[in-house]
Amino acid sequence: MTTALLLIDVQNAILKGLGSPTRQPLIDRALDETVARLAEVLQKARAVNAPVVIIQHDGHASHRLAAGSEGWQLRDEIAPQDREIVVHKRSCDSFFETELEQRLKENGITRLAVGGCMTPFCVDTTARRAVSLGYDVTLISDGHMTADMGELRFEQIIAHHNAVLDEFDAGSHEIRLAKAAAISFG
């Protein structure tokens, strides 16, 4: 099996302004910590020439991720290198109306290690869709992030998704969880 690292929407403004004034600094700090862990996983993938696919959300002109804006730019910690694949999307599903599935097939990828933003939208949707398309997924349990939503704090949302996605399956394919430190390629 060929495993690729799939990083979703790790962009400058992904969580900008989504928290209350008291919670935003906590969200920003947790995002920085999450991105640091993802950067470590990225370095492990690069060290063994494992495929890397980076998803970038192209927001509309007034969106915080407006295509071409500073907020839209990928975070420096995960900036792609020449051989790495960048796929642009406009919805939560990284496969919907994108070249992602084609690029995975072209590269013989059968398993994905998934991390990024935002947990209840793009990470959840893409991980579930990947399984239904026949890929095995390792969700990096400490490698995805979101903002607070209503009364739910980001910590609760992440814990909930880790609980419900672990062992989610479609036929013989499933999602398994692993911490960033346990992710390996080879």
Side-chain angles (χ1 to χ4, degrees), residues 119-120 124 128 139-147 152-166 177 179:
T119 300
D124 179 281
R128 289 176 192 256
L139 177 61
I140 306 169
S141 61
D142 58 350
H144 58 98
M145 185 60 194
T146 195
L152 294 175
R153 294 179 175 226
F154 72 85
E155 301 94 338
Q156 295 169 303
I157 297 167
I158 292 167
H160 168 78
H161 283 270
N162 281 341
V164 300
L165 290 175
D166 193 24
L177 269 61
K179 290 195 175 286

